[in-house]
Amino acid sequence: MPVHLAGDYLDWLLAQGEQGLGVHVVTLNAEMTMLAKEEPRLAELIRCAELVVPDGSGVVWALNKSNRTEIQVSRCPGIELVTNLLPGAGQRRWRVYLIGAAPGLVQALAPEWEKKYPGLQIVGTQDGYFTAGQESEIQANIARTKPHLILLGLGVPKQEFTIQRWRDAAPQALWIGVGGSFDVWTGAKERAPQWFRDNNLEWAYRLYKEPWRWRRMLALPRFAWHVLRSGVSS
Ligand code: UDP
């Protein structure tokens, strides 16, 4: 029987956030999985995250292939998880901190979101191009504003390692790495049309729009090959 896990993630995250029980959410895709195979620190970080959601269709395919139970895992793209979390965060008057993307983007998003999600309080914004020297000031600001939710869009694995370094500044918060989602939320970039998403071809659309990604995207066939070779069977 298919299980729709996305709703479960939301309820759980809202409950954790309400109680101040910190969570690091990793949104896992094939590219990140292959990177983790070469980078033990990243692999360890993923293992230690309180929640790992299957962001990419490759990961969903691999999980369902290896699944010995009746549970059908469905895709949970990080961008959708966060978009669906925001109304509940607003109802609970959560303090939210936005970090990442080119200068000006999250600053522009803050008033938009406060209007769109009544109750939401954006307590801090920071573009993603800060220097090492600025880090302690940003952490101090995070500690001072006590956010319930912190979104970092710095790309993989930079955002994951940054969360690891900064987490003590707000141990009570939900920390979520959102990759390039700020570019989509602000309209700076377009997400793949629904048809591509429904047919597990979001990667192809991305490759068409951003051909310079081809080298990084070689991770996808390598991932598939690795899954098949490791003898995972249905
Ligand atoms: N970015 C950033 N700081 C950096 C490098 C990247 O804020 O030092 C941002 C970049 O502007 C973009 C996002 O991180 O908004 C990365 O997007 P991408 O789609 O490459 O993310 P991924 O594929 O890793 O999820």
Side-chain angles (χ1 to χ4, degrees), residues 85-186:
L85 190 64
L86 291 173
Q91 283 156 17
R92 289 163 180 76
R93 304 195 58 76
W94 276 13
R95 292 180 294 279
V96 180
Y97 211 110
L98 310 179
I99 303 162
L105 288 195
V106 289
Q107 289 80 358
L109 192 60
E112 261 181 51
W113 273 9
E114 284 183 338
K115 200 165 160 212
K116 190 166 176 185
Y117 305 107
L120 203 72
Q121 309 174 62
I122 308 288
V123 292
T125 56
Q126 169 64 52
D127 70 67
Y129 294 87
F130 49 84
T131 61
Q134 289 174 282
E135 288 205 20
S136 54
E137 193 190 328
I138 302 169
Q139 287 177 73
N141 212 26
I142 292 172
R144 190 179 54 74
T145 52
K146 296 189 172 50
H148 297 84
L149 174 65
I150 304 172
L151 304 177
L152 279 95
L154 307 173
V156 175
K158 188 173 177 183
Q159 62 198 23
E160 280 70 34
F161 289 131
T162 306
I163 291 174
Q164 189 176 47
R165 274 200 315 283
W166 292 4
R167 206 164 158 191
D168 284 348
Q172 79 289 344
L174 310 182
W175 293 78
I176 311 183
V178 296
S181 302
F182 287 127
D183 297 330
V184 176
W185 284 317
T186 54

